[in-house]
Amino acid sequence: MNYKAPKGTKDILPSESHIWQYIEKKAQKTFENANYKEIRTPIFESTELFTRGVGDSTDIVNKEMYTFTQKDRSLTLRPENTAGVVRAFIEHGMNRLSTPLKLWYKGAMFRYERPQAGRQRQFHQLGVELFGIEGPSADAEVIQLAMNFLKDLELNNLCLEINNIGCPACRDEYKNKLKAVIQPKLEEFCEDCHIRFEKNPLRILDCKNEKCRELLSSEEIETVINQDFICEECVKHFEELKKYLETLNVDYKINKKLVRGLDYYNRTVFEITSSDLGSQNAVCGGGRYDPLVKTLGGEYTPAIGWAIGMERLVSLYKSKQENPLDIFIVSSCAKEALNLAFKLRKANISADLDFSARKFAKQIEKASKIGAKYVLILGEDELNSGILTLKNLSTGQQSKVSLDQIFEMF
Ligand code: ATP
Ligand code: MG
């Protein structure tokens, strides 16, 4: 039998894993600098956590969950991590730790979607969540964190889009207006939009179907979308956020059609896209979810967060070079060569060797092929004298050195 990785999943091979490591290291440093602490939650949770925490009007809950039953218990592989982090936040009474409480995570997520470039069934996210701050300073901090992180990775063609989708108090009126203007054309919208129309009409704005998008750009519907429906408090929050972003020199665009996935988002929602990506161009998505902690059984705690899709980020990074090996030891005496490699590695110099006692020319050829910076030749003469021959593979320059001199060089 021919085994293959399941559809929608991918092996991350050594030719690519160094990029993942580079990004993950940068992420850890960036988040720790801003005082976010890492949290690791289980890869599966009770199904109900997601139906309540993500919302039953979302595509994620309706069509994309990997759910299984174990001893009458319904469990689901996490399709996203906010629900799990909020569950842990409540379960461990983390609201007592500090305000704000800032967490970050990385890991695999699972959604049954149609696989295509930038869209998989097992994919990976990096994300942050900030709990306890109602005001827009928190929104500005998390947005700036995402933008700076992406810019630090030298991604330049980025676009930040923001919107304020109001709060439960002001959104109902907007929903009704939207329903009224969509109703006459409802038949022409896709089947999913019919369900959204009943459960959460705002999500129609997020429909990816071409025909629906075309219908949404009609003048009547656009007029409603462009009206300022949000209440005074929400307007104030949004205006202040814009000022924060201006002060922080973070460029943004307002997109009134931006609503995003979870049902429990309120006020600020945002997305970062890159024009260097193909049609799946969103690299980061996030928003404020003030009602969620209470919905899942905790004390009311305002919160905001975002998630970055690792696969999309890595694809923007394909050209990045792997860190080259410092030294390749060429020798006919494996024991001595291993001993030397051990000493070099202990001094934090990366080192490898040829495990055969092939001709030196062949060994040097291999060192060039794997892109090593130097070869260190350990032949009979060198073993006797303790003086080694070091060859720089890019310049071809060769010199006699002692081990101590090598330690000093790196
Ligand atoms: P999209 O509109 O692309 O479906 P989304 O709104 O479902 O995205 P979120 O749930 O907010 O996305 O996830 C945040 C980020 O995770 C996305 O911006 C994207 O980079 C990444 N992402 C989401 N789903 C997938 C997937 N199936 N495969 C790869 N990356 C994904
Ligand atoms: Mg999606």
Side-chain angles (χ1 to χ4, degrees), residues 60 80 111 113 118-121 123 125 208 260-261 271 280 282-286 307-309 311-312:
I60 292 182
E80 57 90 51
R111 295 183 196 174
E113 301 201 67
R119 196 173 290 289
Q120 291 175 203
R121 292 180 174 169
F123 62 101
Q125 287 184 334
K208 305 258 179 349
R260 305 209 31 77
E271 206 162 78
Q280 314 306 324
V283 66
C284 174
I308 282 178
E311 278 75 6
R312 293 185 197 175

Side-chain angles (χ1 to χ4, degrees), residues 70-81:
Q70 178 71 261
K71 292 240 168 81
D72 296 335
R73 242 179 238 144
S74 179
L75 300 165
T76 293
L77 297 183
R78 61 183 185 194
E80 57 90 51
N81 210 28

Side-chain angles (χ1 to χ4, degrees), residues 131-358:
F131 293 93
I133 304 291
E134 187 120 37
S137 54
D139 310 45
E141 151 140 328
V142 300
I143 291 174
Q144 192 207 27
L145 190 67
M147 286 303 279
N148 279 357
F149 171 60
L150 295 171
K151 280 190 186 152
D152 256 9
L153 290 170
E154 283 154 42
L155 307 182
N156 291 314
N157 300 319
L158 299 171
C159 174
L160 165 69
E161 292 184 20
I162 60 172
N163 191 19
N164 185 311
I165 56 169
C167 60
C170 58
R171 205 160 39 216
D172 278 352
E173 198 191 320
Y174 178 54
K175 279 187 188 169
N176 290 337
K177 278 193 184 158
L178 203 57
K179 278 175 93 167
V181 76
I182 288 175
Q183 177 83 63
K185 288 191 183 161
L186 186 60
E187 278 314 303
E188 294 174 58
F189 279 85
C190 74
E191 250 175 65
D192 287 344
C193 281
H194 286 221
I195 301 168
R196 293 178 185 128
F197 187 81
E198 295 306 329
K199 286 191 173 169
N200 186 355
L202 236 64
R203 293 199 36 84
I204 294 180
L205 304 184
D206 197 28
C207 185
K208 305 258 179 349
N209 184 304
E210 275 298 317
K211 173 78 181 155
C212 298
R213 299 197 79 78
E214 201 186 300
L215 289 164
L216 285 174
S217 45
S218 79
E219 210 183 308
E220 300 91 340
I221 300 180
E222 289 261 352
T223 310
V224 171
I225 293 170
N226 287 327
Q227 259 170 19
D228 284 320
F229 68 92
I230 57 177
C231 65
E232 233 174 84
E233 281 299 297
C234 288
V235 169
K236 204 170 138 225
H237 197 278
F238 199 41
E239 289 307 313
E240 275 183 43
L241 170 62
K242 289 191 242 169
K243 280 194 208 129
Y244 269 107
L245 294 177
E246 278 149 28
T247 309
L248 296 168
N249 278 325
V250 176
D251 291 337
Y252 61 85
K253 237 169 59 188
I254 294 171
N255 175 357
K256 293 209 168 189
K257 282 189 183 158
L258 190 65
V259 288
R260 305 209 31 77
L262 268 79
D263 274 355
Y264 291 102
Y265 278 124
N266 72 323
R267 292 194 168 158
T268 312
V269 291
F270 57 94
E271 206 162 78
I272 303 170
T273 54
S274 165
S275 55
D276 294 344
L277 286 167
S279 54
Q280 314 306 324
N281 65 352
V283 66
C284 174
R288 184 166 271 288
Y289 51 91
D290 298 334
L292 186 58
V293 177
K294 189 145 186 235
T295 301
L296 293 179
E299 257 172 54
Y300 172 75
T301 312
I304 180 161
W306 51 251
I308 282 178
M310 277 295 287
E311 278 75 6
R312 293 185 197 175
L313 198 51
V314 168
S315 75
L316 289 170
Y317 238 75
K318 279 283 159 63
S319 57
K320 182 165 168 46
Q321 291 296 307
E322 201 170 348
N323 274 347
L325 186 77
D326 293 325
I327 289 181
F328 191 89
I329 303 166
V330 167
S331 167
S332 54
C333 177
K335 251 188 229 133
E336 291 300 330
L338 255 179
N339 194 19
L340 181 58
F342 174 73
K343 287 181 186 157
L344 292 167
R345 291 167 187 169
K346 220 173 153 197
N348 219 5
I349 300 167
S350 61
D352 204 358
L353 56 146
D354 194 275
F355 286 82
S356 72
R358 292 189 288 176

